[in-house]
Every structure is written in structure tokens, then in C-alpha cells.
Amino acid sequence: MRRLALFLFALCLALPAAAERKQTFGDLDVHYNAFNSSFLQPDIAAAVGLTRSKTQGVVNVAVLKAGKASTAQVSGQVKNLLGQVTPLQFKQISEGEAIYYLAQFPFNEREMLNFTLNVQRGDEAPHSFSFDQEFFPDE
């Protein structure tokens, strides 16, 4: 599992530097990224129960409170340009001090997807944000 944490961290750093994938709400930082599941090595995908496919994406969310990994309730949805909505079912992955939330979603062709994520830590106020990302089936 340590390999998964290192891989997901490295993937966050490898994304385009023009836009850091982070939302800040007071002392709560939400780091997120989305990528094609075929980017995952087969053993890493299997270890966390993800399906590798050229038409399956993954959303990865990490919540930090005052700089330390924190548990949270993470939910959301992904919507394509036709308005078709797919709910995201996140599962928590804990490894040592690292905590990640992963969800998979389908996409059929090259398309721009809109993600809306909701994060709530304990009984604190919930936070929502959206982002767009284009996906390409891996060929």
C-alpha cells in the first residue's frame, strides 16, 4: 500500500503545473486529481479494488486539516456535456498517516467532464467545489 500512496502523490505532482489541484477552506486543504485508470499499475489497482480500463477514470481526494491527513465524508458527481450525471462512490484508503478517497467513473470517448465534489470533516460545515477536465480513452 505504501507504493499506492507514493504513486498517487507523484501523480499529483506530475499533473500540469499551471493549475494546482487544491481547494482551501480555512485550515482545511482538499487536494484532488482525476486521471485515466489505465495509468495505474495492475498490482496497485488490484490492491485498492480499482478497475483498470481505457474508459474508466479515477478521482483521488486527500483532505488535510492544518497540514495533517484527515478523515472526511467525500461525495460527488461527474457530468458530461449532454448533462448525464454519474454519482461518485468514494472509498477511503488509509496507509500509515496517509488517507485518500478514491472513486471511479466511466467515460466513453474523448469528452470534457464536470466534477462536483463535496467534503465534510466531522460536524464542520460542508464544502463544495467543481472542476472541469477533458478525458481521452487510452488506446
Side-chain angles (χ1 to χ4, degrees):
M1 291 294 272
R2 181 149 177 83
R3 281 184 56 198
L4 173 67
L6 291 173
F7 175 80
L8 293 174
F9 179 72
L11 190 60
C12 285
L13 296 177
L15 288 173
E20 181 179 9
R21 297 286 183 143
K22 177 176 93 169
Q23 291 286 324
T24 300
F25 307 98
D27 64 350
L28 190 73
D29 289 328
V30 180
H31 294 264
Y32 61 94
N33 62 1
F35 54 92
N36 191 308
S37 66
S38 63
F39 291 172
L40 294 169
Q41 294 297 317
D43 58 330
I44 291 173
V48 293
L50 295 176
T51 302
R52 292 181 73 240
S53 169
K54 65 182 183 178
T55 58
Q56 284 283 314
V58 177
V59 178
N60 172 35
V61 177
V63 179
L64 287 84
K65 175 84 170 183
K68 295 190 179 202
S70 178
T71 59
Q73 295 174 353
V74 180
S75 63
Q77 67 179 27
V78 59
K79 181 170 56 171
N80 66 17
L81 292 176
L82 296 175
Q84 298 167 317
V85 175
T86 301
L88 296 169
Q89 302 297 319
F90 284 90
K91 59 180 157 182
Q92 180 179 310
I93 308 295
S94 298
E95 180 183 310
E97 294 181 16
I99 302 170
Y100 297 92
Y101 296 89
L102 302 174
Q104 282 203 271
F105 58 90
F107 63 97
N108 296 318
E109 56 192 316
R110 179 181 176 181
E111 59 186 320
M112 181 64 72
L113 300 175
N114 175 265
F115 296 82
T116 300
L117 301 181
N118 308 300
V119 176
Q120 183 174 12
R121 188 178 175 281
D123 59 357
E124 295 176 5
H127 305 286
S128 295
F129 61 94
S130 297
F131 68 96
D132 295 326
Q133 186 168 324
E134 189 170 14
F135 276 81
F136 303 83
D138 194 23
E139 297 181 16

